[in-house]
Coordinates of all heavy atoms in Angstrom, one line a residue:
L1361 N 66.3 232.9 143.4 CA 65.9 234.2 144.0 C 66.4 234.3 145.4 O 66.7 235.5 145.8 CB 64.3 234.2 144.0 CG 63.6 234.6 142.7 CD1 62.1 234.7 142.9 CD2 64.2 235.8 142.1
T1362 N 66.7 233.3 146.1 CA 67.3 233.4 147.4 C 68.7 233.9 147.3 O 69.1 234.8 148.1 CB 67.3 232.0 148.2 OG1 65.9 231.6 148.3 CG2 67.9 232.1 149.5
L1363 N 69.5 233.4 146.4 CA 70.8 233.8 146.1 C 70.8 235.3 145.7 O 71.7 236.1 146.2 CB 71.6 233.0 145.1 CG 71.9 231.6 145.6 CD1 72.5 230.7 144.5 CD2 72.9 231.6 146.8
L1364 N 69.9 235.7 144.8 CA 69.8 237.1 144.4 C 69.4 238.0 145.6 O 69.9 239.1 145.7 CB 68.8 237.2 143.3 CG 69.2 236.7 141.9 CD1 68.1 236.8 140.9 CD2 70.4 237.5 141.4
R1365 N 68.6 237.4 146.4 CA 68.2 238.2 147.6 C 69.4 238.4 148.5 O 69.6 239.5 149.0 CB 67.1 237.5 148.4 CG 66.7 238.1 149.7 CD 65.7 237.3 150.5 NE 65.6 237.6 151.9 CZ 64.9 238.7 152.4 NH1 64.2 239.4 151.6 NH2 64.9 238.9 153.7
L1366 N 70.2 237.4 148.8 CA 71.3 237.5 149.6 C 72.4 238.4 149.0 O 73.0 239.3 149.7 CB 71.9 236.1 149.9 CG 71.0 235.2 150.7 CD1 71.7 233.8 150.8 CD2 70.7 235.7 152.1
G1367 N 72.6 238.3 147.7 CA 73.5 239.2 147.0 C 73.1 240.6 147.0 O 73.9 241.5 147.2
S1368 N 71.9 240.9 146.8 CA 71.4 242.3 146.8 C 71.4 242.8 148.2 O 71.6 244.0 148.4 CB 70.0 242.4 146.2 OG 69.0 241.7 147.1
T1369 N 71.3 242.0 149.2 CA 71.4 242.4 150.6 C 72.8 242.9 150.9 O 73.0 244.0 151.5 CB 71.0 241.3 151.6 OG1 69.6 240.9 151.3 CG2 71.1 241.8 153.0
V1370 N 73.8 242.2 150.4 CA 75.2 242.6 150.6 C 75.5 243.9 149.8 O 76.1 244.8 150.3 CB 76.1 241.5 150.2 CG1 77.6 241.9 150.1 CG2 76.0 240.3 151.1
W1371 N 75.0 243.9 148.5 CA 75.3 245.0 147.6 C 74.6 246.3 148.0 O 75.1 247.4 148.0 CB 75.0 244.6 146.2 CG 75.5 245.7 145.2 CD1 76.7 246.2 145.0 CD2 74.6 246.4 144.3 NE1 76.7 247.1 144.0 CE2 75.4 247.3 143.5 CE3 73.3 246.3 144.0 CZ2 74.9 248.1 142.5 CZ3 72.8 247.1 142.9 CH2 73.6 248.0 142.3
L1372 N 73.3 246.2 148.3 CA 72.5 247.3 148.6 C 72.3 247.6 150.1 O 71.6 248.6 150.5 CB 71.1 247.2 148.0 CG 71.0 247.0 146.5 CD1 69.6 246.6 146.0 CD2 71.5 248.3 145.8
S1373 N 72.8 246.7 150.9 CA 72.5 246.8 152.4 C 71.1 246.7 152.7 O 70.6 247.1 153.8 CB 73.1 248.1 153.0 OG 74.5 248.2 152.7
A1374 N 70.3 246.1 151.8 CA 68.9 245.8 152.0 C 68.5 244.7 151.1 O 69.0 244.6 150.0 CB 68.0 247.1 151.8
P1375 N 67.5 243.9 151.4 CA 67.1 242.8 150.5 C 66.5 243.3 149.3 O 65.6 244.2 149.3 CB 66.2 241.9 151.4 CG 65.8 242.7 152.5 CD 66.8 243.8 152.7
G1376 N 66.8 242.8 148.1 CA 66.2 243.2 146.9 C 64.9 242.5 146.6 O 64.1 242.9 145.8
F1377 N 64.7 241.3 147.2 CA 63.5 240.6 147.1 C 63.0 240.2 148.4 O 63.8 240.0 149.4 CB 63.8 239.2 146.3 CG 64.4 239.4 144.9 CD1 65.7 239.2 144.7 CD2 63.6 239.8 143.9 CE1 66.3 239.4 143.5 CE2 64.1 239.9 142.6 CZ 65.5 239.8 142.4
G1378 N 61.7 240.1 148.6 CA 61.1 239.6 149.8 C 61.0 238.1 149.8 O 61.1 237.5 148.7
W1379 N 60.8 237.5 150.9 CA 60.6 236.1 151.0 C 59.3 235.7 150.3 O 59.2 234.5 149.8 CB 60.6 235.6 152.4 CG 62.0 235.6 153.0 CD1 62.4 236.4 154.1 CD2 63.1 234.9 152.6 NE1 63.7 236.2 154.3 CE2 64.2 235.3 153.4 CE3 63.4 234.0 151.6 CZ2 65.5 234.8 153.3 CZ3 64.7 233.5 151.4 CH2 65.7 233.9 152.3
G1380 N 58.3 236.5 150.2 CA 57.1 236.2 149.5 C 57.4 236.0 148.0 O 56.8 235.1 147.3
D1381 N 58.3 236.8 147.4 CA 58.7 236.6 146.0 C 59.4 235.3 145.8 O 59.2 234.6 144.8 CB 59.7 237.7 145.6 CG 59.1 239.1 145.7 OD1 57.9 239.3 145.4 OD2 59.8 240.0 146.2
V1382 N 60.3 234.9 146.8 CA 60.9 233.6 146.7 C 59.9 232.5 146.8 O 59.9 231.5 146.0 CB 62.0 233.5 147.8 CG1 62.6 232.1 147.9 CG2 63.1 234.5 147.7
K1383 N 59.0 232.6 147.7 CA 57.9 231.5 147.9 C 57.0 231.5 146.6 O 56.6 230.4 146.3 CB 57.1 231.8 149.1 CG 57.9 231.5 150.4 CD 57.0 231.7 151.6 CE 57.1 233.2 152.1 NZ 56.3 233.4 153.3
L1384 N 56.8 232.6 146.0 CA 56.0 232.7 144.8 C 56.6 231.9 143.6 O 55.9 231.5 142.7 CB 55.7 234.1 144.4 CG 54.5 234.4 143.6 CD1 53.2 233.9 144.2 CD2 54.4 235.9 143.4
S1385 N 57.9 231.8 143.6 CA 58.6 231.2 142.5 C 58.4 229.7 142.5 O 58.5 229.0 141.5 CB 60.1 231.5 142.5 OG 60.7 230.9 143.7
V1386 N 58.0 229.1 143.7 CA 57.8 227.6 143.8 C 56.6 227.2 142.9 O 56.7 226.3 142.1 CB 57.7 227.2 145.2 CG1 57.3 225.7 145.3 CG2 59.0 227.4 145.9
P1387 N 55.4 227.8 143.1 CA 54.3 227.3 142.3 C 54.5 227.7 140.8 O 54.1 226.9 139.9 CB 53.1 228.0 142.8 CG 53.6 229.1 143.7 CD 54.9 228.7 144.1
L1388 N 55.2 228.8 140.6 CA 55.6 229.1 139.2 C 56.4 228.1 138.5 O 56.2 227.7 137.4 CB 56.3 230.5 139.2 CG 56.4 231.2 137.9 CD1 55.1 231.6 137.3 CD2 57.2 232.5 138.1
G1389 N 57.4 227.6 139.3 CA 58.3 226.5 138.7 C 57.5 225.2 138.5 O 57.8 224.5 137.6

């Protein structure tokens, strides 16, 4: 999700995911 966030930031000029989404993936995993 961090890589997707960084990629979407470059592509869309805005982050596609928030850091909360990234942090939420940890307990999910």
